Every structure is written in structure tokens, then in C-alpha cells.
Amino acid sequence: MYLDPPFNSNASYNKLFKAPDGKDSLAQIEAFDDTWSWNESAEQAFQDVRRSGNVAALTMLQAMRSFLGENDMMAYLSMMAVRMLELHRVLKPTGSLYLHCDNEVVWKRTFAHGSAHKWGPVHDTMLFYSRIDVTHLAIGLIEKRLRDAYRERPDDLNFKTYGVPQDIEGARNLARRGRTEGRHYFEFEKWAVSLLAGEQTKNTGDGGIDGIIPFGKKSMAVVSVKAGENVGVAMIRDLRGAMERTGAEIGIFLTLTPPKGGMAAEAATAGQHEEPGFTPVPRIQIVTIEDAMALRDRAAQIPARLGSVQKVAPKQKNDADQGKLL
């Protein structure tokens, strides 16, 4: 038995006829409608699963309905469930059921042997799962959009983000974990870059650059994050070298430890960057994590900052009713 179901594509599929000249005719017959909505038919399908006696299927479907509610997706799942149960009911003990599902990875073997009792093992099917990683950049983006949405009414905004440092001691703790736990090695750098609403580089820590901030038409600022206690003038020189190597106009030295003697003077020797139409800013800027936590992207002086990094959110409307999530 072979089942090639619709895939909830939210579209109608028509059968086309050819005109005598070989072109598609305007006359069409609707082959099937792959558009689903919760209605009496969907409720009937759900109740059929309930009456089927298959406790496992009913438990799963009830859990989905509890989460999804009575929406289009739930109608599609109910339709699929009752049909799969019926196909399984009429299937002979010696029968086989083939369900066509898209998006699988098949690796065909070069050499394989056949079998007299089943399909020959000529390929392997691999199921691929990826971990959903909510990055610090994504968290920072959400936070910034919230602040932008309430920029005219900041007193009305009150939220707390869990799982990220809330104060300078929390930042130090994240940095310590990075030094002692391998899987947290780059987490401090990623979080620090997100404070300035920057973009993480492909390889964090590559060449002393942990993030970038595009601005102007073609300009770029590079961010170097330091979580250690031993910071000094040599690191400012290294940042300047990274700027020259990448062609960056501005360099941000983002440090957990306040700068020590001589670092500010060394940074000043890099001069200023002048973006047309904007006030000149220092080419090398030293920003502490504590200031970045308080001021966020305003802690760094970046002229003509691009909106493509984090687009401005629309103005928040004070609607009485909030729409449903699902």
C-alpha cells in the first residue's frame, strides 16, 4: 500500500488540458485542494480517531490539539491521522505500507547485495536533526527591537531576559565559565558583541576580531572582546593591526577589565574617522562591558549606523486586545 499525501501547502492543484495546438487550455479540473481549515469535517476526523480505540494515536492528537488549538494545522493533522489508522486497519499481516514524506537524505551504496525476501539493501536513509541554538545575537536583536518599539514611552517598557548576565558580576561569571568549560569558551564574546548590536564573525576570535558593525555606505567597525584581567597597550596595537588588515575604519576594544595606564593614550594615536555629514569619532574606542550593559549600542560611537544590522521596529500601538500566538 502506498500513500502520497498532500503536504499542507495551502494551495489548490488543477489538472491542465492541452489545446489542439499543444498549448495549455483554459479549461481545467481541480485535482485536489491542499488547503485545510478547522470545520465540521476536521472535528469529525478527530472524533473518528477517538473512536478508533488506538490510545497512542489519540493521546498524541489530543496533546497537539491542546497546544495548537483548533486551527488549520490541527485540521491537517486530524485528516492525516484518521486515514493512517484506517490504512493500518485494513492492512494484511503480510502487507507493507509506504508513506511518502519529503526532505529525506538518501545515501546510495556503490556495492550492495540483493535479498530474496525483502528489498535489497542498496542505500541508507539518514535522518538529520539540528539543534536549535538561540544565539546571543538573536536575543540582543529582540531586546533592541523592544526598546525601539517603546523609544517614545520608555517608562512603559519592563522586561527581563533570563539566561544572560544581568549585572557586571554575572558578566564576570560568564567569562570565568568560558575559561573553565570548553562549551562556553566563546559564549562571553558572542554575548559581548550582542551588547553593541554587532554581527558575530564567522569564526569567533579569528584574528582578534569577534564582531563587526557595518555603517555608512561601505564602512565597517571591528569589535575585539577581552574577558581577561591582563589587558594592556599591546592589545590596542593588535587591534590597530587588525583594522589595517581588514580595512576597517573603526575599532572597538570591548573589555571586561577597565583599561590600564597607557591604553587610552595609545588608542588616541590612531586619530579620528570622519564620515561625511557626521561628527568625527575616534578610530579606536575603548568600551567597558559595564558601560555596554548600561548603554548598549550607544556605548560605541558609530556614525551613520546601518539599519540592516537591526531594523527599527514599528511604533508600538497601545491596543487593548492582543492577538493569539497560534
Side-chain angles (χ1 to χ4, degrees), residues 144-288:
K144 187 176 189 301
R145 285 180 172 172
L146 280 171
R147 294 186 180 93
D148 287 343
Y150 284 85
R151 59 186 177 274
E152 297 180 5
R153 297 182 289 111
D155 293 339
D156 294 341
L157 180 62
N158 182 22
F159 71 90
K160 183 177 182 180
T161 305
Y162 293 89
V164 297
Q166 302 295 322
D167 50 34
I168 192 62
E169 185 54 40
R172 294 191 182 102
N173 181 59
L174 180 60
R176 283 193 293 268
R177 291 173 62 192
R179 291 190 290 268
T180 59
E181 302 178 32
R183 65 191 182 95
H184 295 291
Y185 187 78
F186 291 126
E187 290 306 304
F188 180 85
E189 286 83 356
K190 294 177 181 178
W191 168 75
V193 170
S194 75
L195 293 176
L196 301 181
E199 299 177 1
Q200 297 163 11
T201 54
K202 184 176 181 180
N203 295 314
T204 306
D206 184 19
I209 298 174
D210 300 296
I212 61 172
I213 303 175
F215 68 93
K217 291 184 178 180
K218 296 182 180 180
S219 301
M220 177 181 69
V222 293
V223 182
S224 178
V225 179
K226 300 299 178 185
E229 298 179 358
N230 297 320
V231 295
V233 174
M235 293 181 178
I236 301 297
R237 298 193 184 110
D238 290 341
L239 175 57
R240 189 167 182 175
M243 293 169 58
E244 294 174 355
R245 185 174 65 253
T246 59
E249 287 76 12
I250 295 176
I252 308 296
F253 187 84
L254 188 54
T255 173
L256 180 61
T257 303
K260 299 180 180 179
M263 294 180 66
E266 182 65 26
T269 62
Q272 294 187 321
H273 170 72
E274 296 187 19
E275 192 72 15
F278 292 85
T279 303
V281 299
R283 289 195 66 227
I284 294 183
Q285 304 173 26
I286 301 176
V287 179
T288 65

Side-chain angles (χ1 to χ4, degrees), residues 92-104:
K92 290 183 177 181
T94 56
S96 300
L97 175 63
Y98 295 86
L99 176 62
H100 179 196
C101 294
D102 283 353
N103 301 324
E104 65 176 358

Side-chain angles (χ1 to χ4, degrees), residues 122-135:
V122 297
H123 77 275
D124 291 327
T125 300
M126 296 171 286
L127 302 180
F128 176 75
Y129 299 89
S130 62
R131 174 186 174 190
I132 299 176
D133 184 12
V134 181
T135 65

Side-chain angles (χ1 to χ4, degrees), residues 1 5 56 105 190 240 311 326:
M1 191 178 295
V105 181
K190 294 177 181 178
R240 189 167 182 175
K311 297 180 179 179
L326 296 172

